[in-house]
Amino acid sequence: MASAGHKYSLLKQTRQSAPLEFPGSASDAWLAGKTVLITGGASGFGEGFVRRWAAAGACIVLGDVNVPRGTALAEEVRKSTGNPNVHFQHCDVTSWPSQVSFFKAAVKLSPHGGIDTVVANAGIVDIKNEVENPKDLDAENPPPPNIDCLNVNLNGVVYTAHLALFYLQKNPGSKPADPNCDPETLVRDRHLLLLGSVAGFLPIPSQCLYGASKHAVMGLYRCLRSSVFVHGIRINMLCPYFIDTPLLTTGGRVVLAGGTIGKPEDVVEAATRFAADPRIVGRAVFVGPKLKVEVNDETGDFKLTEREDVQPKAIWELYPMDFDDSDLFQRNVVGMLNRAVEIRGWIGWASDILTLVGIRARKTLGL
C-alpha cells in the first residue's frame, strides 16, 4: 500500500464511477433499442432479466441448454410484450464452439449488428459434492470427482467474458465507457455484467466447488475492472444471497427454514440499474433480504434496527474502495495501460490524417 499519510487513488485512471445509491435514478427506458445477450437465460435470474428488459424495448438474445424452456420463454415474452426482438439460441457455456456460435448469432439477430450488454448469468450448484466425499479411491482406476460446477461457473464465465471483450468493443456506433456520459442521449453501450454470489466472499458449507468458482469470478471481476477501460468497456457484478429461485436446492431451503432469503425482484432491480445506466462503471453489489440496518460512519459496522426512520434495504455495495488507495505495482500497471490508450489514440489520429491526405492527393492527381 501507499506510505502512511499518503493515498494514491486510481479511480480516475480506471474510469470507475462514484459509489452507488439504491434506489437510483436509472430509467428502464434507457434499455430501449439496446441488444442484450444473456447466458442461462431460460430460468431464474436470467428469465427475470429477459422479461423486464424485453418489456423496456431491448433486443434480447438468450442462451441456455434447456431448449424447450428457452424456446417457449422467448415466444411467450414476444407475445406478452409485443417486442419481436426476443430470441432464443441453444448455448452450452462449457463448450467454446457453442459460445462462439451464440455470440455470432446474437450479432446477426441484433437490429444494429452489435451487442450492447453481455450478462454472464449461467450457473449451477454442486449437488453431489463429490470433492468433499471421496469414495473408493483405492480402486485400480478410481474415477475423478464431478467438477461440472467449476466448468459451468468458472470456465463458462471466462469464455463468456473473453468473447464479450472482443464483441463489445466492436459494437457499431458505441463509444468508450464514460461515467460522465448522458444516458438520455447515449444510444450504444459496451457493458459486461458478471453474476457472482455471496459464496464469492463468504464460505458456504458443503459447497466447496461452488464457493471456489464464485471466489474465482470475484477475482476475475476485480482484475478486469482495473484494465478493461483499455477496450472502452465497463464491467459490473451482482452477488446475490440465497434467493428464491430454482438454484436454491431443497436442502438449502431446509437449512434456511425460519430464516430470511432474498427476493428475485431485488436481483432483477439491481441488474436493471447496471444494464440501463451507462454511467455505472466498475461497481459490484450484494443482494440479500431486505433489512433495516444502521451503519456506523466511523467504523463501518452494521447493526440491525427497528427505527421507523430507517428504510429497509436489500442491495449493498461490495469492494467500493479498491482503487481509493493503491500500491506501487497497481499504479505502474494502470499507468502503462493509460499510456497505451493515449498512444493508440494518437496512432489512430495520425492514421486518419494520413488516409485523408492520401485521398486528397489521389483526387488532385486524378487517380
Side-chain angles (χ1 to χ4, degrees):
M1 297 298 294
S3 59
H6 297 279
K7 284 192 174 184
Y8 296 92
S9 172
L10 290 175
L11 294 175
K12 183 178 180 180
Q13 291 91 327
T14 57
R15 301 2 178 222
Q16 188 180 28
S17 57
L20 296 173
E21 290 292 337
F22 282 89
S25 58
S27 169
D28 283 25
W30 297 343
L31 284 166
K34 289 184 169 62
T35 296
V36 182
L37 176 151
I38 307 171
T39 64
S43 63
F45 302 140
E47 179 180 347
F49 303 156
V50 169
R51 292 184 181 280
R52 180 159 173 179
W53 300 347
C59 170
I60 306 294
V61 185
L62 62 133
D64 207 288
V65 292
N66 190 335
V67 174
R69 176 59 190 153
T71 302
L73 176 63
E75 182 178 355
E76 177 197 338
V77 173
R78 282 195 298 269
K79 291 180 179 179
S80 64
T81 63
N83 182 348
N85 293 312
V86 181
H87 311 282
F88 171 76
Q89 295 286 315
H90 172 266
C91 178
D92 176 359
V93 294
T94 66
S95 165
W96 172 249
S98 182
Q99 287 222 44
V100 169
S101 297
F102 181 42
F103 272 79
K104 288 183 176 179
V107 171
K108 290 181 180 179
L109 291 167
S110 170
H112 75 280
I115 302 171
D116 294 290
T117 288
V118 171
V119 184
N121 171 70
I124 61 173
V125 295
D126 184 21
I127 297 176
K128 295 183 178 180
N129 193 24
E130 291 184 3
V131 169
E132 291 189 58
N133 296 285
K135 297 177 181 179
D136 303 323
L137 297 186
D138 53 356
E140 185 175 351
N141 294 299
N146 184 309
I147 58 171
D148 288 347
C149 185
L150 279 182
N151 290 331
V152 172
N153 297 358
L154 178 54
N155 295 352
V157 171
V158 171
Y159 286 166
T160 303
H162 186 56
L163 286 160
L165 296 184
F166 177 80
Y167 279 100
L168 289 173
Q169 62 183 313
K170 293 168 68 69
N171 187 19
S174 67
K175 297 179 180 179
D178 179 5
N180 299 309
C181 69
D182 180 1
E184 294 280 1
T185 60
L186 190 72
V187 178
R188 304 269 66 91
D189 202 352
R190 302 180 186 179
H191 180 217
L192 171 59
L193 179 60
L194 302 181
L195 263 291
S197 166
V198 64
F201 55 93
L202 293 176
I204 305 296
S206 77
Q207 281 292 314
C208 67
L209 286 189
Y210 185 78
S213 67
K214 293 303 183 179
H215 271 74
V217 173
M218 175 61 78
L220 179 69
Y221 159 74
R222 294 179 75 185
C223 288
L224 285 178
R225 76 168 173 173
S226 69
S227 59
V228 291
F229 66 82
V230 171
H231 305 299
I233 292 170
R234 64 187 185 99
I235 183 171
N236 296 298
M237 186 173 185
L238 286 177
C239 294
Y241 181 65
F242 297 103
I243 305 292
D244 189 12
T245 71
L247 203 62
L248 185 58
T249 64
T250 301
R253 293 176 187 275
V254 170
V255 171
L256 292 168
T260 56
I261 60 175
K263 299 297 183 182
E265 54 264 33
D266 290 322
V267 178
V268 174
E269 180 63 34
T272 301
R273 176 83 184 279
F274 280 139
D277 194 342
R279 298 170 298 184
I280 301 177
V281 182
R283 292 295 174 180
V285 295
F286 161 69
V287 185
K290 283 188 175 179
L291 301 170
K292 286 189 173 185
V293 176
E294 287 184 275
V295 182
N296 187 310
D297 293 333
E298 294 184 1
T299 65
D301 292 337
F302 290 3
K303 182 178 72 173
L304 292 176
T305 181
E306 293 298 327
R307 285 172 45 188
E308 293 186 1
D309 61 326
V310 176
Q311 295 298 315
K313 187 175 179 180
I315 303 171
W316 308 85
E317 189 160 6
L318 291 170
Y319 301 108
M321 296 179 288
D322 271 4
F323 301 131
D324 283 12
D325 197 5
S326 60
D327 61 22
L328 181 62
F329 178 78
Q330 286 178 312
R331 296 199 300 276
N332 285 339
V333 171
V334 172
M336 287 188 294
L337 290 174
N338 273 276
R339 183 59 179 157
V341 171
E342 292 172 4
I343 292 173
R344 189 169 63 188
W346 278 107
I347 291 174
W349 175 84
S351 176
D352 290 343
I353 292 297
L354 290 174
T355 299
L356 180 60
V357 170
I359 291 173
R360 291 189 173 181
R362 287 194 294 274
K363 287 183 177 180
T364 301
L365 296 174
L367 298 177

